[in-house]
Amino acid sequence: MRTFDGLRLHVAAYGPEGAPVTVVLAHCWTADSEDWHYQVRDLLARFGHGIRILTWDLRGHGCSDPAPERACTIENLARDLGDLVDAYAPHGRLVIAGHSIGGMTMTALPQVRPDLVDRIAGLLFVATSSGRLDTVTLGLPEVGPTVRGSLPFVLAARARLLTRRTRRRSPSLERTVVNRLLFGDRLRLRDAGLVVDQLVRCPPATMAGFYRDFLRHERTAGLAAYDAIPTRVLVGDADRLTPPEHARRIAGAIRGARLLVAPGAGHMLPLERDELVSEQLIELVEDALAQAALAA
């Protein structure tokens, strides 16, 4: 699909457009829609074509067009999400899940597309934040802020100076970031390899542009728009990028939200705790289908 500012987004749609419930899955910063491949598998196994599933590579990520640095904002991601729903799921209930920057996109939706809120029957915030990202120390109180502030630009400079082929052949920095900062205590090599490859393929403008926007991100107050919508907030207790206190802020800002903390897990919950994430999604979808049946 085309965005409002002319970028092409790579979209995958599963199930019929007329399904009563559509699950919308927004992935992590520097990743792509493969972030959710376990959940797509589990949703299809459980519901088949009884629901619709939408995944897409966010602007500047994966197979979508590279985005100019100035266009890499959470507000634009929320606008893209709304346009995606208009194009591929114009009717029916919505269950929206967001991991990391995907969850930040969800926090901006009430302001950018308030008309969609009434259609939402379930929300899943996964390892994400509604603000105060400038306080994250990466678990390193003494040097964490310095590392946090420089690392995205170091990765972006490496992406500008070295070809993708060179970085893929010797992804030393990317592998260190993935192994030490993104995953917790159950690291599966295939998952780590996927994330390393996603990081290698991420354009430098995406790394730098969204990082600058993270520092301005503060949308906790707007989460009250989701009051009474069934909401789950998941976080790993070893998450260095969006620590548990960020999940608590989200859960505390939405009336009735349920917080779940995964022991030993890091930031990549859809991969490292795939069963937990799929279980929560399936429960939300089952509730949404029941709501749709009652309204029919």
Side-chain angles (χ1 to χ4, degrees):
M1 63 168 275
R2 288 274 181 183
T3 66
F4 67 93
D5 51 353
L7 300 176
R8 292 178 301 173
L9 300 186
H10 178 75
V11 179
Y14 308 81
E17 184 175 305
V21 173
T22 296
V23 181
V24 182
L25 302 173
H27 66 73
C28 180
W29 179 42
T30 75
D32 58 37
S33 55
E34 281 298 295
D35 196 14
W36 294 104
H37 72 97
Y38 291 126
Q39 287 69 49
V40 170
R41 174 201 66 190
D42 293 342
L43 288 168
L44 289 173
R46 173 66 180 82
F47 300 104
H49 288 284
I51 64 171
R52 190 162 172 80
I53 305 169
L54 297 177
T55 66
W56 75 108
D57 293 347
L58 306 183
R59 58 171 56 220
H61 292 78
C63 295
S64 293
D65 282 348
E69 194 169 312
R70 67 181 181 279
C72 293
T73 68
I74 294 166
E75 181 176 338
N76 281 346
L77 293 181
R79 188 167 176 178
D80 293 346
L81 190 159
D83 291 344
L84 176 89
V85 168
D86 291 343
Y88 294 97
H91 308 290
R93 304 276 182 157
L94 301 171
V95 172
I96 304 178
H99 174 212
S100 187
I101 200 173
M104 298 177 210
T105 301
M106 293 163 60
T107 70
L109 203 60
Q111 180 182 11
V112 176
R113 286 295 304 270
D115 57 299
L116 291 181
V117 173
D118 286 343
R119 290 182 56 195
I120 298 174
L123 295 164
L124 181 63
F125 292 90
V126 181
T128 188
S129 175
S130 59
R132 298 184 186 172
L133 286 165
D134 59 332
T135 66
V136 173
T137 66
L138 302 178
L140 306 165
E142 298 298 324
V143 298
T146 301
V147 174
R148 185 200 68 230
S150 61
L151 189 56
F153 301 106
V154 171
L155 287 166
R158 178 173 161 84
R160 291 188 183 99
L161 293 171
L162 301 176
T163 66
R164 186 173 292 175
R165 181 179 179 181
T166 298
R167 286 180 288 126
R168 182 173 280 127
R169 190 165 58 239
S170 182
S172 54
L173 178 58
E174 290 84 1
R175 186 181 296 118
T176 297
V177 169
V178 168
N179 291 353
R180 296 190 179 182
L181 296 181
L182 298 188
F183 281 87
D185 63 7
R186 294 187 205 167
L187 177 64
R188 292 183 294 203
L189 292 180
R190 65 179 181 270
D191 294 337
L194 170 65
V195 179
V196 168
D197 192 57
Q198 290 171 333
L199 191 54
V200 165
R201 292 188 292 115
C202 186
T206 298
M207 298 178 189
F210 280 116
Y211 178 74
R212 288 192 174 97
D213 197 54
F214 290 161
L215 300 183
R216 298 187 290 267
H217 172 57
E218 178 49 68
R219 293 179 169 90
T220 308
L223 293 175
Y226 292 143
D227 280 354
I229 295 176
T231 300
R232 314 285 174 89
V233 184
L234 306 186
V235 68
D237 68 2
D239 188 335
R240 294 174 179 268
L241 271 64
T242 52
E245 56 264 30
H246 290 252
R248 293 187 193 102
R249 286 188 79 212
I250 294 173
I254 302 172
R255 189 171 67 246
R258 185 188 306 175
L259 173 67
L260 294 95
V261 180
H267 188 65
M268 302 305 294
L269 288 179
L271 300 175
E272 57 183 309
R273 295 295 187 273
D274 56 294
E275 292 181 358
L276 171 65
V277 176
S278 292
E279 175 186 87
Q280 298 306 310
L281 261 179
I282 287 169
E283 289 182 6
L284 288 169
V285 172
E286 288 175 339
D287 289 347
L289 286 169
Q291 291 180 35
L294 287 173

